[in-house]
Each structure stands twice: as C-alpha cells, then as structure tokens.
Amino acid sequence: MFYYSTRNKNNAVNFATAALTGLAPDGGLFIPQEIPLYPENVKSSLGTMNFCDITFETIKPYVHTDISSSALYDIISSSFTFNAPLIEVLDRYAIELFHGPTAAFKDFGARFMARAFSYLRRGEDKPLRILVATSGDTGGAVADGFFDVPGIFVTVLYPKGRVSPLQERQIAGLGKNISAIAVEGSFDDCQRLVKAALADEELKKRMALSSANSINISRLIPQAVYYSASAGRAFAGRIDPDGDATPRVVKEQITINKKHPHLPITLCVPSGNFGNLTAGLYAMKMGAPIKRFIAATNINKTFPDYLDSGEYLARISQATLSNAMDVGAPSNFERMSAHFSLEEMRRIISGVYVEDKETKETISRIHEKSGYFLDPHSAVGWKGIDKLREQNKIGSEEPAGVLCTAHPAKFAETVEPLAGMPPIPESLSRAMDRSVNAVTIPAEISALLDEIS
Ligand SMILES: *Cc1c(COP(=O)(O)O)cnc(C)c1O
C-alpha cells in the first residue's frame, strides 16, 4: 500500500514514511492510494470474529508492506488490551469506546501508533520528537501511549484553561519523556503552532520530528476497527450485556438481539477534527455493514454547514461542554474531501449540531430513563440521532448506534450535577492523584521554537 498527499498525487510514500513524518512535505495529509476491501470470508464473519482478529484483518492491508504479520500481531495484542462493547440502551445501540487507559476512544489510535512507531524505528539511534496539539483528549491518550517508549520524546500543546482538571493531569502529569505546554489561546492556535513547527526547516535539521494528531494516518487506521467490529455484531444481532449503567469491559458473554436482523446500522459520530468519522468511512468502504453516518457536532458546526450549503467555511472555535470537539477548522476535512465528493458525502453522511443546553438535557433525561450515564460528547451523539429521527431522516425501526467517545467520569464536573456521580474507573482515579507540570507560552511560533529547541 502506498500513501500520497491530499495535495499531490504524484509523490507516493510507504506506510513507515507516512506515519513517521505525519504531515506531507507540501502541507497536505497522507491518504492511502485506495481503500482496501475485506476479503469475502472476513466480511461475512465480522459479527463473530474476536476483536483482535478483526483488528488484524482491518489494519493488515494498510501496513503489510512495512510491518510483518507476526510483528503486527504483537503490536495489536499489546495495544488493544481492552475492547469496544456494543450494548443496547433504550431504543438504540451504544458503542463504548472508553475502556482504554485514558477513558476516551483516542486510546485505540494512540496506543497502536506508539507501538508501530517503536517498531518502525527499530535500529534507529537519533531520538524522535513528537509534537501534538490537543483540545483535551488526544494529549492524554498520546502521552499515555508513548510514556516510557525509548528514543521518543513527546511534547503536548493544550489550550490553557480549556481542558478539564483530569485531562490536564493526564497530559501534564506523567513526566519522563512526556512534556506539556499550556498555550494562551485556543485549540486551533495549538494546531497551527504544531503545523508551523513541523514545517520549520531549521528545526527539522536539528531533530527528527513527527506529529501525533489525527492528521497522522497511523492513528486513524486503527480507529476503523471498532466500526467494523460493532457494525458486524449489530448486523449479526450479537450484543454485549450492558454494565448496569456502570460501564465496564465485557468478557465473552453475548446476547442475541432479534430486533434488527441483518440490517446495516446507522452510526452517529460525535465529531471535532473528524478523524473518527474518516476512519468510519474507511470501515464502510472496506465492507462493514454500515448504512450511513451522522456527523454530530456541538455549535462548532463547520461541517454540518458545509453539507447544507456546499461551502466550507472554517471559523474560530468556541468553547463548549464537549471540549474535545471544539474545532472550527477540522483538520480531516481535507482528507475526507480528497476521498469523497460533496455529493457522495451528502449521500452517506447527515450533519447535525447540538447546543450545550441540549447536551445537558440529554445527559439528565437518559440517566433518568435508563440509569445510563452519557458524557457530554456521547450526549451530542445521542441527541444527534434524536434530531434526525424527528426529521424522519432515519426511521424509528432502523437500527442506529451512537459512538460513546469518553467515559462519563472523565467529565464528572458536567455529568455529576445532571445525573449524579458516575462510577470512576481506576485509571482515572490514579491520574487524578498526579500533579500538573507544564510551561505556559503565548500562541506564537517563536515561543514554541524557543521551548523545544
Ligand atoms: C477527540 C474526541 C472527539 C472528536 O473526535 P474527532 O476524531 O476529532 O472528530 C469526540 N469525543 C471525544 C471524547 C474526543 O476525545
């Protein structure tokens, strides 16, 4: 498999180069030359294969020229030490993506990426510096994924005062090879600084640099896995028992749901930078039984507006309760539009946006009705399905599922007053005990260069 830049189809590189450089030299994003198809026998058994095997079959065609099958198996089994339960909550499915160490879906991509980097750089003695901008959850997942990985240093940039106390401890509490920079500005500023630093010729001469945002293709590909796994299981009617509103990793128990036999599912993706949705589109194109997608945003609704008007207007991001989605200029838009025309996007994606007061109302209502806790991001996704059902864009009998992107306890300051205190996973209580160790800089490239040079 080759990868080329969204801005230039002539310069093909292999997976190792695409992953380790992050951003293409012309400022574009790497995309695979084609989206591979699942072999028939894999496609027909997505509902019954175990998670590790689905992971292997999904990632292999993207990386097989650079990572041997046995190495890939090792990388996968040490990355995915948790799974993504598909459960039923009221009138829909919830796909719980928050059972990894930092309690958000980004653990899937970040852990795979860290282990893949370590493998691809075997035998290399020059240290690698990874720069990552975060609106909250990426930083923690990447820091955790790379913590203590030899030869790799990670610098996380986050918008000062705009991440939760827990997120800040996940980002700036680890130390060792992980350093944290609080930027006086927004997430978009952080992202801009990272892009500028990655393009800085002087800096590149002095150190090996890479990025770990969802612009990095090695983080995006592993995210296709849980789409295929959950759509496959929903299609086969095999759901996991729920955790009695106290979400937990499920063992091998399953229930057969006869309500929606063999109907492809509509999936609602709470979106910010659109890495998650792009990975979902890959899974769909590979052959996972997905009918269509709902892209749900908070009031940072650049993408829903684009689907409506056909015009892409990036804007300044605004702070909301679902802070990991406070993105006014979604970086993966460039990737999506390199793969799909506006017409095609309109066919397979519906856009919807949700305001903070609706997010809050959803968290209280769903907890009251079912005992299930939604975090503010997942609540945006839940409400997105409600809205499209109201507009009759999805039928009430059609199977629909929401991607639950973070554990409710990760956003306890929002959830607790609305629904009471959700159970706290052990990894989060451990993180809360750490102290914050970050430097603060203004949102200027010179300040960042001073800091990392
Ligand atoms: C990052 C994040 C999102 C947004 O995902 P994108 O891939 O940036 O669209 C949604 N919810 C949570 C909890 C996140 O951490």
Side-chain angles (χ1 to χ4, degrees):
M1 177 73 78
F2 286 106
Y3 293 80
Y4 56 75
S5 163
T6 45
R7 298 183 192 174
N8 179 354
K9 301 207 169 181
N10 297 321
N11 278 340
V13 299
N14 60 13
F15 174 75
T17 306
L20 294 171
T21 49
L23 199 66
D26 58 9
L29 278 62
F30 286 114
I31 53 173
Q33 69 188 125
E34 63 180 2
I35 299 174
L37 295 176
Y38 284 119
E40 265 321 305
N41 64 324
V42 173
K43 192 172 148 180
S44 59
S45 33
L46 287 174
T48 48
M49 282 165 78
N50 72 39
F51 195 75
C52 208
D53 291 339
I54 295 181
T55 307
F56 182 78
E57 293 295 340
T58 305
I59 300 177
K60 182 181 62 175
Y62 292 97
V63 305
H64 70 105
T65 43
D66 299 63
I67 305 180
S68 69
S69 287
S70 66
L72 180 61
Y73 221 92
D74 289 347
I75 292 171
I76 285 171
S77 43
S78 58
S79 305
F80 304 117
T81 48
F82 48 92
N83 60 8
L86 170 80
I87 65 169
E88 231 180 344
V89 182
L90 300 171
D91 58 356
R92 67 199 67 179
Y93 296 104
I95 296 131
E96 294 186 345
L97 303 179
F98 48 68
H99 294 290
T102 69
F105 80 91
K106 294 192 173 74
D107 284 326
F108 286 97
R111 287 172 69 84
F112 176 83
M113 178 192 199
R115 284 154 190 79
F117 270 35
S118 185
Y119 172 81
L120 295 170
R121 299 188 83 253
R122 63 198 185 285
E124 181 73 57
D125 46 12
K126 194 169 164 198
L128 177 71
R129 160 91 51 181
I130 290 177
L131 297 176
V132 55
T134 184
S135 58
D137 280 349
T138 298
V142 170
D144 198 274
F146 280 97
F147 182 61
D148 242 355
V149 172
I152 301 183
F153 294 84
V154 174
T155 302
V156 184
L157 281 74
Y158 64 98
K160 191 178 172 77
R162 291 213 199 168
V163 302
S164 76
L166 173 64
Q167 286 173 328
E168 190 165 32
R169 282 163 179 77
Q170 289 179 328
I171 295 164
L174 285 170
K176 284 203 183 175
N177 60 327
I178 314 293
S179 55
I181 298 182
V183 175
E184 291 170 327
S186 67
F187 167 69
D188 293 319
D189 290 319
C190 298
Q191 191 151 263
R192 178 173 52 80
L193 292 188
V194 166
K195 279 195 176 185
L198 290 174
D200 191 277
E201 293 303 328
E202 281 304 304
L203 193 64
K204 279 197 284 194
K205 271 184 215 145
R206 267 177 287 137
M207 56 182 86
L209 276 180
S210 187
S211 84
N213 283 105
S214 56
I215 54 178
N216 194 302
I217 194 70
S218 69
R219 250 189 70 190
L220 200 130
I221 290 166
Q223 293 179 357
V225 170
Y226 46 73
Y227 284 93
S228 297
S230 53
R233 292 181 76 129
F235 192 75
R238 293 161 62 95
I239 56 172
D240 298 304
D242 74 33
D244 297 314
T246 56
R248 57 180 156 71
V249 182
V250 289
K251 299 282 182 288
E252 267 309 293
Q253 241 178 317
I254 52 154
T255 314
I256 301 296
N257 177 354
K258 300 222 161 53
K259 244 190 291 178
H260 308 292
H262 306 303
L263 290 176
I265 192 172
T266 293
L267 291 172
C268 184
V269 189
S271 295
N273 253 323
F274 283 78
N276 204 5
L277 180 62
T278 306
L281 292 166
Y282 284 15
M284 181 191 211
K285 290 291 164 192
M286 291 179 80
I290 297 167
K291 183 170 185 202
R292 52 189 283 110
F293 290 99
I294 303 169
T297 67
N298 55 34
I299 51 163
N300 294 288
K301 58 189 179 70
T302 303
F303 187 76
D305 283 352
Y306 165 73
L307 289 180
D308 270 350
S309 70
E311 218 182 328
Y312 178 78
L313 288 175
R315 51 199 88 158
I316 306 283
S317 65
Q318 297 187 54
T320 74
L321 293 174
S322 43
N323 67 25
M325 293 159 38
D326 292 350
V327 183
S331 55
N332 279 287
F333 178 74
E334 182 165 339
R335 197 171 254 143
M336 290 166 76
S337 42
H339 284 297
F340 306 103
S341 67
L342 171 62
E343 288 322 306
E344 194 167 6
M345 281 199 244
R346 281 178 170 156
R347 251 198 321 278
I348 53 181
I349 312 167
S350 300
V352 65
Y353 77 96
V354 172
E355 293 177 34
D356 273 355
K357 64 173 192 299
E358 299 172 304
T359 303
K360 285 189 186 165
E361 181 276 327
T362 304
I363 295 172
S364 326
R365 176 168 51 92
I366 299 314
H367 184 261
E368 198 174 304
K369 273 193 174 167
S370 68
Y372 194 70
F373 289 100
L374 291 167
D375 94 284
H377 305 79
S378 313
V380 166
W382 187 286
K383 183 72 185 176
I385 294 179
D386 289 346
K387 287 189 164 186
L388 287 189
R389 281 190 176 153
E390 279 158 26
Q391 298 165 16
N392 289 320
K393 287 192 185 149
I394 21 177
S396 53
E397 292 306 307
E398 274 179 56
V402 53
L403 275 75
C404 294
T405 49
H407 192 288
K410 195 164 184 186
F411 296 89
E413 61 287 351
T414 303
V415 175
E416 204 242 24
L418 300 164
M421 191 60 196
I424 304 174
E426 207 191 292
S427 60
L428 293 189
S429 36
R430 270 201 311 270
M432 229 25 226
D433 291 338
R434 300 182 197 140
S435 52
V436 171
N437 190 355
V439 290
T440 298
I441 64 165
E444 285 156 20
I445 181 64
S446 55
L448 176 61
L449 293 176
D450 283 348
E451 200 49 52
I452 58 181
S453 297

